[in-house]
Structures are given as C-alpha cells and as structure tokens.
Amino acid sequence: MNQEPQLNVHNKAEHPPMHTAEHLLNGTMVKLIGCKRSRNAHIERKKSKCDYPLAQPLTPEQLQEIENTINNVIAQDLPVTFEYIIVQEASALYDLERLPEDASEMLRIVHIGDYDACPCVGAHVESTSQIGHFRISSSRYQDGVQRIVFRLGE
Ligand SMILES: [Zn+2]
C-alpha cells in the first residue's frame, strides 16, 4: 500500500516562484490584515496580482509591512512541504471555499515552514529562498476591493 493519493488534475501552468509568493501574500494578509485568502488572483511570471475585499484601503505603512514580512519569510529559507489529508479533516482546519465542487477525497496541504498552510495542487518552489525578492509594485483600492500587484526580482 504505497499508492499516490488521487488528487484533482491541475490544469494551469504556474510559475513556481510566483505561485509560492502568492501563498505567502495570502498567508500574510490573513495574519496582518485579518482578511481571507484572495479568491481573485492572476499569477504570471513577470507580474502578478491578488484582490482582497476590504472595508478600507491599506495604508502605505501596511503595504510596506506586508512586503517586509514576506521578504523576512523568504530570507528564512523555509521548506515547502506537502501533507495529504481527507477532505472531512481539512474542512475543520482550512478555508475550503475555493475548492472545486468535484474536489478529490484527498487534499494536498502545502506547508511553508510553520508560516502558512493551505490546500493546493499547484507547482511550488522547494524552499522560500528560491522565490527571490518580493516587491509590491502597485496597489489600488476600488469598490471595496484592495488589489496588490507584485513582482519578484533580485
Ligand atoms: Zn500552491
């Protein structure tokens, strides 16, 4: 009995450093701002964006703190590891609202050190130093939605 758990097919090509940065941004927004993980994200190699419904816009200080916090996590070179659990167990521990209706019985939980954990079938770096430097290149607040645009670099 050493079968790979059956997961949903992942049909989106992602840039692993950018996608892993998306995990860190979501985890940091939950911790620092108290909102939910983004349900509207566009992740691309060069430039990515995540939207968060918020009652008021983030201040420049908050944006700076988010950026600094993420770069601090990247600098710690935390390992990205996987754990497989059944959906019923996961529902008590994680926000599963983003899961597709036909989600598999087994979920893969992606852990970034002890900093962040969420169900995901995407492609990730092996440890956070592979992400590179995280920079919020612009932000916009409109109609109750905070958009954060970010880039990775040296
Ligand atoms: Zn992921």
Side-chain angles (χ1 to χ4, degrees):
M1 289 300 287
N2 196 10
Q3 272 182 310
E4 273 289 299
Q6 196 66 42
L7 300 176
N8 280 49
V9 176
H10 187 60
N11 54 12
K12 212 170 69 176
E14 281 157 339
H15 183 50
M18 263 299 190
H19 173 65
T20 312
E22 176 193 1
H23 279 244
L24 290 182
L25 176 59
N26 280 323
T28 302
M29 288 296 288
V30 171
K31 282 179 215 294
L32 294 185
I33 309 301
C35 62
K36 291 192 172 184
R37 304 178 82 90
S38 178
R39 300 220 180 103
N40 187 11
H42 294 273
I43 305 303
E44 286 162 36
R45 184 175 292 266
K46 197 164 173 240
K47 183 173 82 168
S48 297
K49 56 192 175 189
C50 289
D51 287 348
Y52 301 91
L54 290 181
Q56 48 194 7
L58 295 175
T59 64
E61 291 75 19
Q62 284 176 313
L63 288 163
Q64 188 64 57
E65 191 187 1
I66 291 162
E67 188 179 287
N68 293 348
T69 301
I70 291 171
N71 280 315
N72 187 35
V73 172
I74 290 171
Q76 290 174 51
D77 199 19
L78 298 180
V80 178
T81 58
F82 307 127
E83 168 198 18
Y84 294 94
I85 63 175
I86 60 170
V87 171
Q88 288 88 335
E89 270 179 59
S91 62
L93 299 169
Y94 303 101
D95 176 5
L96 300 184
E97 284 176 43
R98 286 174 69 193
L99 278 192
E101 286 200 10
D102 61 348
S104 53
E105 267 296 289
M106 285 296 260
L107 290 184
R108 187 177 74 166
I109 307 299
V110 176
H111 292 265
I112 302 182
D114 287 331
Y115 186 76
D116 183 58
C118 81
C120 185
V121 295
H124 309 86
V125 297
E126 288 162 9
S127 68
T128 57
S129 68
Q130 295 171 10
I131 294 171
H133 186 77
F134 174 90
R135 183 167 63 89
I136 296 175
S137 55
S138 67
S139 63
R140 185 191 79 183
Y141 185 80
Q142 200 178 343
D143 301 328
V145 175
Q146 176 74 55
R147 170 163 293 174
I148 294 179
V149 181
F150 57 100
R151 294 168 183 264
L152 301 180
E154 296 307 310

PDB file of all heavy atoms in Angstrom, residues 14 19-20 22-23 108 110 118-124, ligand 1:
ATOM      1  N   GLU A  14       1.825  27.282 -13.879  1.00  0.00           N
ATOM      2  CA  GLU A  14       2.170  28.380 -12.990  1.00  0.00           C
ATOM      3  C   GLU A  14       3.674  28.513 -12.910  1.00  0.00           C
ATOM      4  O   GLU A  14       4.393  27.540 -13.051  1.00  0.00           O
ATOM      5  CB  GLU A  14       1.634  28.115 -11.585  1.00  0.00           C
ATOM      6  CG  GLU A  14       0.167  28.425 -11.457  1.00  0.00           C
ATOM      7  CD  GLU A  14      -0.447  27.667 -10.295  1.00  0.00           C
ATOM      8  OE1 GLU A  14       0.133  26.653  -9.885  1.00  0.00           O
ATOM      9  OE2 GLU A  14      -1.496  28.108  -9.822  1.00  0.00           O
ATOM     10  N   HIS A  19       3.926  31.624  -7.851  1.00  0.00           N
ATOM     11  CA  HIS A  19       2.793  30.973  -7.198  1.00  0.00           C
ATOM     12  C   HIS A  19       3.060  30.790  -5.703  1.00  0.00           C
ATOM     13  O   HIS A  19       2.165  30.950  -4.871  1.00  0.00           O
ATOM     14  CB  HIS A  19       2.481  29.637  -7.878  1.00  0.00           C
ATOM     15  CG  HIS A  19       1.441  28.869  -7.154  1.00  0.00           C
ATOM     16  ND1 HIS A  19       0.133  29.318  -7.039  1.00  0.00           N
ATOM     17  CD2 HIS A  19       1.497  27.724  -6.446  1.00  0.00           C
ATOM     18  CE1 HIS A  19      -0.547  28.459  -6.307  1.00  0.00           C
ATOM     19  NE2 HIS A  19       0.256  27.482  -5.923  1.00  0.00           N
ATOM     20  N   THR A  20       4.298  30.463  -5.346  1.00  0.00           N
ATOM     21  CA  THR A  20       4.625  30.314  -3.929  1.00  0.00           C
ATOM     22  C   THR A  20       4.561  31.675  -3.226  1.00  0.00           C
ATOM     23  O   THR A  20       4.119  31.768  -2.076  1.00  0.00           O
ATOM     24  CB  THR A  20       6.013  29.659  -3.761  1.00  0.00           C
ATOM     25  OG1 THR A  20       6.093  28.510  -4.602  1.00  0.00           O
ATOM     26  CG2 THR A  20       6.257  29.246  -2.314  1.00  0.00           C
ATOM     27  N   GLU A  22       2.488  33.908  -4.002  1.00  0.00           N
ATOM     28  CA  GLU A  22       1.044  34.108  -3.801  1.00  0.00           C
ATOM     29  C   GLU A  22       0.604  33.481  -2.473  1.00  0.00           C
ATOM     30  O   GLU A  22      -0.161  34.086  -1.709  1.00  0.00           O
ATOM     31  CB  GLU A  22       0.280  33.474  -4.974  1.00  0.00           C
ATOM     32  CG  GLU A  22      -1.224  33.524  -4.844  1.00  0.00           C
ATOM     33  CD  GLU A  22      -1.937  32.622  -5.849  1.00  0.00           C
ATOM     34  OE1 GLU A  22      -1.258  31.933  -6.643  1.00  0.00           O
ATOM     35  OE2 GLU A  22      -3.179  32.614  -5.837  1.00  0.00           O
ATOM     36  N   HIS A  23       1.110  32.268  -2.179  1.00  0.00           N
ATOM     37  CA  HIS A  23       0.795  31.654  -0.879  1.00  0.00           C
ATOM     38  C   HIS A  23       1.236  32.570   0.258  1.00  0.00           C
ATOM     39  O   HIS A  23       0.497  32.766   1.228  1.00  0.00           O
ATOM     40  CB  HIS A  23       1.548  30.327  -0.713  1.00  0.00           C
ATOM     41  CG  HIS A  23       0.911  29.154  -1.388  1.00  0.00           C
ATOM     42  ND1 HIS A  23       0.420  28.077  -0.703  1.00  0.00           N
ATOM     43  CD2 HIS A  23       0.701  28.887  -2.695  1.00  0.00           C
ATOM     44  CE1 HIS A  23      -0.058  27.183  -1.557  1.00  0.00           C
ATOM     45  NE2 HIS A  23       0.106  27.653  -2.782  1.00  0.00           N
ATOM     46  N   ARG A 108      -4.212  17.843  -0.873  1.00  0.00           N
ATOM     47  CA  ARG A 108      -2.813  18.079  -0.553  1.00  0.00           C
ATOM     48  C   ARG A 108      -2.712  19.427   0.146  1.00  0.00           C
ATOM     49  O   ARG A 108      -3.121  20.444  -0.404  1.00  0.00           O
ATOM     50  CB  ARG A 108      -1.964  18.073  -1.826  1.00  0.00           C
ATOM     51  CG  ARG A 108      -0.482  18.151  -1.490  1.00  0.00           C
ATOM     52  CD  ARG A 108       0.365  18.078  -2.725  1.00  0.00           C
ATOM     53  NE  ARG A 108       0.311  19.328  -3.468  1.00  0.00           N
ATOM     54  CZ  ARG A 108       1.163  19.651  -4.439  1.00  0.00           C
ATOM     55  NH1 ARG A 108       2.105  18.801  -4.786  1.00  0.00           N
ATOM     56  NH2 ARG A 108       1.067  20.796  -5.068  1.00  0.00           N
ATOM     57  N   VAL A 110      -0.320  22.293   1.406  1.00  0.00           N
ATOM     58  CA  VAL A 110       1.027  22.814   1.160  1.00  0.00           C
ATOM     59  C   VAL A 110       1.433  23.646   2.374  1.00  0.00           C
ATOM     60  O   VAL A 110       0.755  24.614   2.732  1.00  0.00           O
ATOM     61  CB  VAL A 110       1.044  23.678  -0.115  1.00  0.00           C
ATOM     62  CG1 VAL A 110       2.420  24.297  -0.320  1.00  0.00           C
ATOM     63  CG2 VAL A 110       0.657  22.823  -1.317  1.00  0.00           C
ATOM     64  N   CYS A 118      -2.094  25.695   3.274  1.00  0.00           N
ATOM     65  CA  CYS A 118      -3.400  25.717   2.614  1.00  0.00           C
ATOM     66  C   CYS A 118      -3.462  24.614   1.572  1.00  0.00           C
ATOM     67  O   CYS A 118      -2.428  24.147   1.090  1.00  0.00           O
ATOM     68  CB  CYS A 118      -3.688  27.087   2.014  1.00  0.00           C
ATOM     69  SG  CYS A 118      -2.911  27.390   0.437  1.00  0.00           S
ATOM     70  N   PRO A 119      -4.670  24.166   1.250  1.00  0.00           N
ATOM     71  CA  PRO A 119      -4.814  23.124   0.242  1.00  0.00           C
ATOM     72  C   PRO A 119      -4.459  23.672  -1.132  1.00  0.00           C
ATOM     73  O   PRO A 119      -4.904  24.756  -1.494  1.00  0.00           O
ATOM     74  CB  PRO A 119      -6.306  22.751   0.283  1.00  0.00           C
ATOM     75  CG  PRO A 119      -6.915  23.560   1.372  1.00  0.00           C
ATOM     76  CD  PRO A 119      -5.964  24.639   1.748  1.00  0.00           C
ATOM     77  N   CYS A 120      -3.646  22.943  -1.897  1.00  0.00           N
ATOM     78  CA  CYS A 120      -3.258  23.421  -3.224  1.00  0.00           C
ATOM     79  C   CYS A 120      -2.655  22.279  -4.020  1.00  0.00           C
ATOM     80  O   CYS A 120      -1.949  21.437  -3.474  1.00  0.00           O
ATOM     81  CB  CYS A 120      -2.239  24.558  -3.097  1.00  0.00           C
ATOM     82  SG  CYS A 120      -1.804  25.302  -4.673  1.00  0.00           S
ATOM     83  N   VAL A 121      -2.945  22.254  -5.319  1.00  0.00           N
ATOM     84  CA  VAL A 121      -2.350  21.245  -6.191  1.00  0.00           C
ATOM     85  C   VAL A 121      -1.353  21.864  -7.172  1.00  0.00           C
ATOM     86  O   VAL A 121      -0.901  21.217  -8.102  1.00  0.00           O
ATOM     87  CB  VAL A 121      -3.432  20.468  -6.983  1.00  0.00           C
ATOM     88  CG1 VAL A 121      -4.295  19.655  -6.035  1.00  0.00           C
ATOM     89  CG2 VAL A 121      -4.283  21.412  -7.812  1.00  0.00           C
ATOM     90  N   GLY A 122      -1.012  23.129  -6.955  1.00  0.00           N
ATOM     91  CA  GLY A 122      -0.139  23.845  -7.891  1.00  0.00           C
ATOM     92  C   GLY A 122       1.323  23.474  -7.756  1.00  0.00           C
ATOM     93  O   GLY A 122       1.696  22.565  -7.020  1.00  0.00           O
ATOM     94  N   ALA A 123       2.151  24.208  -8.487  1.00  0.00           N
ATOM     95  CA  ALA A 123       3.592  23.966  -8.511  1.00  0.00           C
ATOM     96  C   ALA A 123       4.305  25.012  -7.656  1.00  0.00           C
ATOM     97  O   ALA A 123       4.049  26.210  -7.791  1.00  0.00           O
ATOM     98  CB  ALA A 123       4.097  24.034  -9.951  1.00  0.00           C
ATOM     99  N   HIS A 124       5.181  24.533  -6.777  1.00  0.00           N
ATOM    100  CA  HIS A 124       5.834  25.414  -5.805  1.00  0.00           C
ATOM    101  C   HIS A 124       7.343  25.252  -5.843  1.00  0.00           C
ATOM    102  O   HIS A 124       7.845  24.228  -6.294  1.00  0.00           O
ATOM    103  CB  HIS A 124       5.334  25.066  -4.394  1.00  0.00           C
ATOM    104  CG  HIS A 124       3.848  25.032  -4.286  1.00  0.00           C
ATOM    105  ND1 HIS A 124       3.113  23.921  -4.583  1.00  0.00           N
ATOM    106  CD2 HIS A 124       2.955  26.000  -3.973  1.00  0.00           C
ATOM    107  CE1 HIS A 124       1.823  24.184  -4.451  1.00  0.00           C
ATOM    108  NE2 HIS A 124       1.695  25.434  -4.095  1.00  0.00           N
TER     109      HIS A 124
HETATM  110 ZN    ZN B   1       0.002  26.450  -4.349  1.00  0.00          ZN
END
